[in-house]
Amino acid sequence: MLVLTLKQPYAWMVIFGSKPIENRTWVNALLKHLIERQEAFAIHAGASLRKDYYDQACAYGRSQDETLRVPPKSELVLGAILGTVVPTEIYRPEDWVASRRWHMKGQYGWQLKDRTPL
């Protein structure tokens, strides 16, 4: 199974929160293959977390979903696989629209479904 490492708290937001889109500057043939076959990949939480990064990520998350309540930094799991997701679509940077929550301007947006915590 393929694994994608995300910094916390984004890994938590994808698996346990309301973040249905992962943003990247790239896509590859493996991602397209997973979409075609509707196959899952694992979400791994990075091993470190700086307070300033945590604060910025939480602020961004709340700007996309005002009901989002991320656990305190001390409660987030680091350096472990949190769960799996199935990619369903790729939004290109030129497809960006302000009304699509979580899709960052200038990025590829990977639409995710079937979040399964481990």
Side-chain angles (χ1 to χ4, degrees):
M1 176 175 276
L2 296 175
V3 177
L4 180 67
T5 297
L6 301 179
K7 291 182 180 180
Q8 285 286 36
Y10 288 116
W12 182 91
M13 289 181 202
V14 166
I15 297 297
F16 300 103
S18 59
K19 187 174 189 287
I21 295 176
E22 174 54 25
N23 296 283
R24 294 285 153 167
T25 58
W26 54 271
V27 295
N28 62 25
L30 288 174
L31 177 63
K32 292 176 182 178
H33 177 78
L34 293 175
I35 290 171
E36 288 172 9
R37 293 178 167 255
Q38 293 289 288
E39 289 184 21
F41 65 89
I43 297 294
H44 173 263
S48 64
L49 177 58
R50 292 188 339 252
K51 182 179 180 342
D52 60 333
Y53 187 86
Y54 170 83
D55 292 341
Q56 290 170 345
C58 288
Y60 175 72
R62 284 189 300 274
S63 77
Q64 301 303 299
D65 176 359
E66 62 188 35
T67 67
L68 182 68
R69 299 293 174 252
V70 177
K73 181 178 176 267
S74 61
E75 293 179 18
L76 290 172
V77 173
L78 300 175
I81 292 176
L82 300 184
T84 62
V85 294
V86 175
T88 60
E89 189 172 351
I90 300 168
Y91 301 117
R92 298 173 305 163
E94 56 269 23
D95 296 334
W96 181 85
V97 293
S99 62
R100 185 179 296 126
R101 293 181 324 123
W102 295 99
H103 184 196
M104 299 175 94
K105 191 172 187 174
Q107 301 279 314
Y108 288 95
W110 303 3
Q111 181 71 50
L112 307 172
K113 72 170 189 172
D114 297 338
R115 297 181 278 184
T116 305
L118 297 178

